[in-house]
């Protein structure tokens, strides 16, 4: 079960890694979701998180630092097809 979603955003001036918890703003949603068969995917400055049992995709915008509105998409896994 996913409790926290942490992201490494780089290093500070002393070389220590900076890790932030991006799931806090939607913690109540995360606690309610069933992530069985879910998939986490990073592509072009976005983190995509599928919640198949809910028929949702949660998208975190890394450039702007916030969660987009939930998308109603029954997706189990993500892939890039060229």
């Amino acid at each position: 079960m996913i409790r926290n979603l942490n992201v490494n955003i780089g290093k500070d001036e002393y070389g220590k890694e900076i890790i932030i918890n991006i799931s806090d703003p939607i913690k109540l949603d995360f606690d309610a979701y069933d992530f069985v068969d879910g998939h986490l995917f990073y592509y072009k400055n976005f983190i995509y998180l599928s919640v198949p049992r809910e028929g949702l995709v949660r998208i975190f915008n890394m450039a702007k630092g916030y969660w987009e509105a939930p998308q109603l998409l029954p997706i189990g896994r993500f892939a890039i097809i060229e």
Side-chain angles (χ1 to χ4, degrees), residues 10-28:
K11 295 186 178 188
D12 64 12
E13 63 272 11
Y14 304 107
K16 183 178 177 187
E17 291 184 350
I18 302 170
I19 298 173
I20 60 169
N21 183 336
I22 63 171
S23 61
D24 275 348
I26 59 169
K27 179 150 180 48
L28 296 178

Side-chain angles (χ1 to χ4, degrees), residues 11 27-28 34 51 56 60 68 73 80:
K11 295 186 178 188
K27 179 150 180 48
L28 296 178
D34 182 355
V51 189
L56 290 174
F60 186 77
E68 305 285 348
L73 300 168
I80 299 173

Side-chain angles (χ1 to χ4, degrees), residues 8-9 13 18 22 30 40 42 45 51-52 55 58 69 75 80:
N8 183 334
I9 61 169
E13 63 272 11
I18 302 170
I22 63 171
F30 264 45
L40 184 68
Y42 175 81
N45 237 9
V51 189
R58 296 304 308 244
I75 294 174
I80 299 173

Side-chain angles (χ1 to χ4, degrees), residues 35 37-39 48-52 56-58 75-78:
F35 287 102
D37 297 327
H39 189 222
Y48 299 89
L49 177 63
S50 70
V51 189
L56 290 174
V57 173
R58 296 304 308 244
I75 294 174
R77 297 197 60 68
F78 299 102

